[in-house]
Amino acid sequence: MTTIVRNLQLVRDRITTACFAAGRDPASVRLLAVSKTFGAEAVADAMSDGQRAFGENYIAEGVAKILALQARRSALEWHCIGPVQSNKTRLVAEHFDWVQSVDRLKIAQRLSEQRPAQLPPLQVCLQVNVDGGSNKAGLAPQDALELAQQVAQLPRLTLRGLMSIPEPAINFVAACAVHARARALFDQINRSGVLPAPMDTLSMGMTADLEAAIHSGSTLVRVGTAIFGGR
């Protein structure tokens, strides 16, 4: 058993334990393995233990890995979770399955226009800066409903939910409080009735705070260090 496989199993155990503690079905939380700065061989190692969804922060690096593993493309789900600049939207639209970091209408419009017609719609989450952290990307919570409505109307995109990366919290209770804000916003947008279909994905929680995120309603946790090691 490799270190990555062993780590994957430990992370899955953490997710299961956190779900039981929150009174949730472990099947309601997906694991996204964040493979940034690690090569295609590390992704293949994780694949050997059944992991299929991978997240990349750096677009060019992610595309290189996608191409390196092209022979197994149909078995993989690639998520862009880093900032997307206008000059990189075509790469994202042509190669990724998901983009979780949309925070401007202009970027969403470009992704929609550049998504190849032969590919399924690009799955999209809006990145929201729930705690107002000065070093974090994402739109302000009060702007999320309007952007969600606009993105949901674009062709070649499917709005799936919200993503957040709050500043590190001092303890479990504080982390839960911040994640609860994202959950409340997610519920508010779904209740608004302005979307053609309810959002189903709340992407929050990483290595240090996945338990708090799951307690607060996360449906997808993004874990890198606990699987692949320090960067």
Side-chain angles (χ1 to χ4, degrees), residues 1-224:
M1 182 185 296
T2 68
T3 299
I4 289 174
V5 169
R6 185 181 305 110
N7 289 345
L8 261 175
Q9 294 177 1
L10 291 172
V11 169
R12 289 173 183 144
D13 288 344
R14 285 179 62 187
I15 292 170
T16 297
T17 300
C19 285
F20 285 151
R24 299 180 58 190
D25 181 351
S28 68
V29 179
R30 298 182 64 206
L31 171 60
L32 183 70
V34 179
S35 44
K36 69 176 183 180
T37 76
F38 290 88
E41 65 281 358
V43 173
D45 201 356
M47 286 181 67
S48 72
D49 196 47
Q51 182 63 29
R52 294 292 179 263
F54 294 89
E56 291 288 331
N57 292 67
Y58 309 120
I59 294 167
E61 177 191 331
V63 170
K65 268 178 262 190
I66 292 169
L67 295 176
L69 295 164
Q70 190 63 34
R72 307 175 75 178
R73 183 67 182 89
S74 63
L76 294 172
E77 183 179 282
W78 291 97
H79 294 234
C80 174
I81 59 175
V84 181
Q85 303 300 325
S86 295
N87 64 344
K88 295 291 180 64
T89 54
R90 185 173 297 278
L91 281 173
V92 174
E94 291 180 347
H95 294 282
F96 286 85
D97 303 298
W98 285 64
V99 54
Q100 297 194 24
S101 46
V102 171
D103 60 4
R104 289 174 287 156
L105 179 59
K106 175 185 176 182
I107 295 300
Q109 289 170 329
R110 289 178 63 88
L111 291 168
S112 174
E113 293 164 1
Q114 295 168 346
R115 182 67 169 176
Q118 74 273 17
L119 294 180
L122 187 62
Q123 310 300 295
V124 171
C125 290
L126 306 183
Q127 183 174 352
V128 182
N129 188 347
V130 291
D131 60 348
S134 59
N135 295 322
K136 299 294 183 181
L139 72 155
Q142 61 267 27
D143 298 327
L145 176 59
E146 180 180 6
L147 184 58
Q149 187 173 12
Q150 293 168 328
V151 170
Q153 296 170 353
L154 293 173
R156 311 298 305 146
L157 302 183
T158 298
L159 178 64
R160 295 296 296 271
L162 304 181
M163 184 266 267
S164 68
I165 312 175
E167 297 287 348
I170 58 173
N171 55 39
F172 179 82
V173 172
C176 287
V178 175
H179 288 311
R181 297 183 207 170
R183 171 62 187 270
L185 181 62
F186 178 85
D187 291 341
Q188 175 192 340
I189 294 173
N190 273 341
R191 287 195 305 265
S192 71
V194 302
L195 302 180
M199 302 183 297
D200 61 6
T201 299
L202 185 54
S203 173
M204 57 186 192
M206 299 186 290
T207 292
D209 65 344
L210 70 85
E211 286 85 2
I214 289 171
H215 178 84
S216 303
S218 175
T219 68
L220 186 150
V221 293
R222 309 176 308 271
V223 179

